[in-house]
Structures are given as C-alpha cells and as structure tokens.
Amino acid sequence: NAGVTQTPKFRVLKTGQSMTLLCAQDMNHEYMYWYRQDPGMGLRLIHYSVGEGTTAKGEVPDGYNVSRLKKQNFLLGLESAAPSQTSVYFCASSYGAGGVDQPQHFGDGTRLSIL
Amino acid sequence: GENVEQHPSTLSVQEGDSAVIKCTYSDSASNYFPWYKQELGKRPQLIIDIRSNVGEKKDQRIAVTLNKTAKHFSLHITETQPEDSAVYFCAASSGQGAQKLVFGQGTRLTINP
C-alpha cells in the first residue's frame, strides 16, 4: 500500500514549456486535491476532484488544468510555464463521506523550478 | 471565503517545556480543523484533528482546543522533544461536500536541547 505517489519528484522547466504532474493513490479515495506550497504562505488549493470525471477550481487555479479520467489518478498540467509557478506541488486524497470531512493524505511532493 | 491566520510564525522552546500554536478562522460554517506537521523536505502529515461538535481532543502529548464562539483553535504540545522540531500548519474546512482545506501560514517550532 503505497498511499499517494507523485511523479516526478523534481523538474526544471524553461518559461513557456508545458508539463504534466501525475498523482496516483491506491486507497480507493473519492476525493483528490492539488496544492502548491510557497515559502511563508502555507499550502494553497489549486484544483480538486470529488470523483472520477469531475474537477473544480480551488483558491489559485489560474495557469493550471487538471483531469481525473480514472479514480486513482489526478493529473495537473501547466500549459505554458511561468517563473511564478516555481513551487513545491503536493497532491492529496481523502474519502468522501457525505459532507463530513475526512483526513487528507499527502504525497511526497514535486519540486518544480521554472527558469 | 475562509481565511486562516496562524501565530506565531516561529517558536523556540526548551526541551521538556510546552508549546502552543494558535489559529483563527473567519468562516463560521467551518467545522473541521486538522493540524499537520511537516519536517524539512517531507510531506505534511496529519497529527490531530477536531470537529466543531467537540471542544477538546487529546492524543498523548498533543491536544487541540476549539472555541467556536471566538473562532479560534490551538495546538498544545507538552513535554516537548527534539523530534517535535518541524513546521506545523493549521487548517479549516467547511465540510460542504468538497472538503476544501484553507491552511494557515505555518509555525516553525524549534526544540532546544
């Protein structure tokens, strides 16, 4: 049982390049989330999904897209990377329980640098 | 939307002493309040959480208190040990189906031997 797995762990991009971050969970969780973590700002929600085939915007969605084609996977895409997107990206997942919050489990993160 | 403020941003205590971290939230509909510990370069890990129908929760040396009227909650760590050194984050969520957490800015806790 690996929990939440993120790939890649590190990546350096040039401004304007595109890439996709992959998150996979093996806990059969309904809900999945993408956060970014910047120094001194805590974690901020980018996008989230409450089930296969569904996605929704979080607090800071601009410049990112997501897809959840399979229940266990949640992809975060950067279409045209900008230096402001340099950050550590965390994926998380949780059970969906009819409006009652459940603990979110985090992956190890992806450290992304945009030059 | 929800706004969570966390204080202090840094905290240094002697080993064996207690540490207290405080958070305030703005949305009275919030009803789930987790605390995460993050060691350098690692993932955030849940250490304790509390729901709005409970005023206090304890787990060994860790406790969380919630004051719904004042909209603030606190993390208490007793008998601190060097391995407690980390960044701690509070968060709040309204539980309206999506479980969207809003995090505080974090507190860097250092335990001095």
Side-chain angles (χ1 to χ4, degrees):
Chain A
N1 190 334
V4 180
T5 303
Q6 293 183 233
T7 53
K9 296 188 186 306
F10 305 95
R11 186 72 183 268
V12 178
L13 290 179
K14 294 181 179 179
T15 298
Q17 287 185 319
S18 63
M19 78 161 296
T20 301
L21 282 65
L22 172 64
C23 176
Q25 54 92 7
D26 61 2
M27 297 176 282
N28 201 33
H29 286 167
E30 291 83 5
Y31 292 3
M32 297 186 74
Y33 314 82
W34 276 107
Y35 294 90
R36 61 177 288 174
Q37 184 175 35
D38 301 298
M41 299 186 72
L43 291 92
R44 292 181 293 168
L45 182 64
I46 304 171
H47 286 281
Y48 64 98
S49 168
V50 299
E52 181 178 318
T54 72
T55 63
K57 294 180 180 180
E59 184 183 351
V60 288
D62 293 343
Y64 305 95
N65 56 77
V66 288
S67 64
R68 183 124 180 249
L69 300 179
K70 295 182 179 180
K71 184 178 182 178
Q72 63 268 32
N73 296 336
F74 195 28
L75 279 62
L76 178 70
L78 286 73
E79 293 182 343
S80 180
S84 61
Q85 294 177 305
T86 293
S87 189
V88 180
Y89 292 85
F90 284 99
C91 176
S93 69
S94 68
Y95 286 110
V100 178
D101 286 78
Q102 299 298 320
Q104 294 187 17
H105 301 265
F106 284 80
D108 287 333
T110 295
R111 188 173 298 275
L112 183 61
S113 295
I114 315 296
L115 303 178
Chain B
E2 176 66 278
N3 183 53
V4 177
E5 297 287 335
Q6 183 172 347
H7 300 280
S9 57
T10 61
L11 179 61
S12 182
V13 301
Q14 289 299 121
E15 182 178 354
D17 288 349
S18 296
V20 180
I21 302 171
K22 299 181 179 181
C23 289
T24 61
Y25 61 98
S26 61
D27 188 351
S28 57
S30 291
N31 57 13
Y32 176 67
F33 307 92
W35 286 88
Y36 284 85
K37 175 184 179 181
Q38 187 177 30
E39 298 176 357
L40 188 63
K42 300 291 184 63
R43 70 177 74 183
Q45 291 196 303
L46 180 74
I47 55 172
I48 196 167
D49 57 10
I50 191 169
R51 302 182 191 279
S52 58
N53 58 346
V54 176
E56 183 176 4
K57 184 177 179 180
K58 289 184 179 180
D59 183 3
Q60 299 183 348
R61 296 185 298 109
I62 294 173
V64 57
T65 58
L66 172 65
N67 184 325
K68 289 174 56 181
T69 302
K71 288 190 281 188
H72 67 70
F73 56 112
S74 300
L75 178 71
H76 305 253
I77 305 175
T78 60
E79 301 173 11
T80 54
Q81 302 169 2
E83 53 265 37
D84 294 329
S85 294
V87 178
Y88 291 80
F89 292 96
C90 64
S93 170
S94 65
Q96 297 300 315
Q99 303 183 24
K100 295 186 292 182
L101 290 178
V102 177
F103 283 81
Q105 298 89 338
T107 296
R108 181 174 300 280
L109 175 63
T110 302
I111 308 301
N112 301 308

